[in-house]
């Protein structure tokens, strides 16, 4: 009964192209969504977030899209750079779902030079 | 300013022993969280401290796990009678926690626990 799912365990992209990471959730009480990036032997680092009142949030090369009706969000990275290679975790939270984060299983992104 | 720090960075222990993991949150952050990441898995919520309120222990996997937060700052996660399935990276995070807003959580580097 995973409430947050990342169905692609890995993704390989050429440098300069777009990376699209996907995430699905089931709990309709979630109203805040975050993406974290994790390098080996380090803790996750916050990347970008989106509130459920929006459908898009952009920060530089990173854009998160939220489709509430489909309970789906995605992270777009463009252009992708080799330094973006890491594991990306989608997380969800909500004031009525507890402030702790519920994480997806992660997607390993590899950006090839 | 300093981020979230955790100690030790690595801990190897024998099955049946007790272990204590420490977390120092970012100064001024009133909320503190413990998560763990088992091999090949996502992050699993364990426990959440918010200010002086009773902690949310809903994620603790068994009564062998306990945590405390002294003085609203440093937290210790204790695992009694460790089992091999407790082997994981234990991550601590802190955040602001004011009213009903949700704030980003900032993570420490984690403690890698190996139970032999």
């Amino acid at each position: 009964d995973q409430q947050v799912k990342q169905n692609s365990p890995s993704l390989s992209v050429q440098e300069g192209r777009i990376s699209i990471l996907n995430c699905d959730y089931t709990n309709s009480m979630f109203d805040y969504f975050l993406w974290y990036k994790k390098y080996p032997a380090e803790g996750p680092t916050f990347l970008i977030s989106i509130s459920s009142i929006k459908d898009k949030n952009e920060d530089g090369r990173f854009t998160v899209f939220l489709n509430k009706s489909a309970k789906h969000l995605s992270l777009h990275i463009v252009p992708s750079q080799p330094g973006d290679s890491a594991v990306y975790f989608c997380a969800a939270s909500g004031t009525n779902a507890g402030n702790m984060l519920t994480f997806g299983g992660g997607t390993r992104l590899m950006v090839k030079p | 300013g300093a981020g979230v720090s955790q100690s030790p960075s690595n801990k190897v222990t024998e099955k049946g022993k007790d272990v204590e993991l420490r977390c120092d949150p970012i100064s001024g952050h009133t909320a503190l969280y413990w998560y763990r990441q088992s091999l090949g898995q996502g992050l699993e919520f364990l426990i959440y401290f918010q200010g002086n309120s009773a902690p949310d222990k809903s994620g603790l996997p068994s009564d062998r796990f306990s945590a405390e937060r002294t003085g609203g700052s440093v937290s210790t996660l204790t695992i009694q009678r460790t089992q091999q399935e407790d082997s994981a990276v234990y991550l601590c995070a802190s955040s602001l926690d004011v009213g009903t807003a949700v704030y980003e959580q900032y993570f420490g580097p984690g403690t890698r626990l190996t139970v032999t």
Side-chain angles (χ1 to χ4, degrees), chain A residues 31-32 34 36 38 41-46 49 87 89 93-95 98-106, chain B residues 33 35 37 40-43 45 48 50 56 58 91 97 99-110:
Chain A
D31 56 14
Y32 195 72
L34 308 89
Y36 281 82
K38 186 179 185 302
E42 294 183 11
T45 303
F46 169 72
S49 62
V87 177
F89 289 98
S93 183
T95 53
N99 282 338
M100 76 284 192
L101 296 176
T102 301
F103 283 85
Chain B
Y33 310 78
Y35 296 86
Q37 184 180 18
Q41 303 295 314
L43 280 76
F45 165 75
Y48 159 47
Q50 177 193 11
D56 177 351
S58 59
L91 290 154
D97 196 342
T100 57
V102 179
Y103 292 87
E104 292 79 25
Q105 296 177 20
Y106 295 85
F107 283 81

Side-chain angles (χ1 to χ4, degrees), chain A residues 6 63 67 77 88 113:
Chain A
Q6 294 175 255
T63 303
N67 182 334
I77 307 173
Y88 289 78

Side-chain angles (χ1 to χ4, degrees), chain B residues 11-107:
Chain B
K11 176 73 176 178
V12 180
T13 190
E14 292 180 353
K15 177 182 172 182
K17 301 277 189 177
D18 297 352
V19 295
E20 283 190 355
L21 312 178
R22 177 187 167 104
C23 171
D24 283 89
I26 292 173
S27 177
H29 280 189
T30 54
L32 187 147
Y33 310 78
W34 283 97
Y35 296 86
R36 74 175 175 182
Q37 184 180 18
S38 302
L39 188 63
Q41 303 295 314
L43 280 76
E44 173 191 6
F45 165 75
L46 296 177
I47 188 169
Y48 159 47
F49 294 89
Q50 177 193 11
N52 295 321
S53 302
D56 177 351
K57 303 179 182 179
S58 59
L60 294 178
S62 79
D63 59 8
R64 296 185 296 104
F65 288 72
S66 63
E68 61 178 22
R69 189 178 185 194
T70 53
S73 180
V74 172
S75 177
T76 303
L77 177 70
T78 301
I79 309 173
Q80 296 177 309
R81 305 180 302 281
T82 52
Q83 304 293 313
Q84 288 184 330
E85 61 263 27
D86 299 334
S87 297
V89 176
Y90 288 81
L91 290 154
C92 175
S94 71
S95 74
L96 294 171
D97 196 342
V98 180
T100 57
V102 179
Y103 292 87
E104 292 79 25
Q105 296 177 20
Y106 295 85
F107 283 81

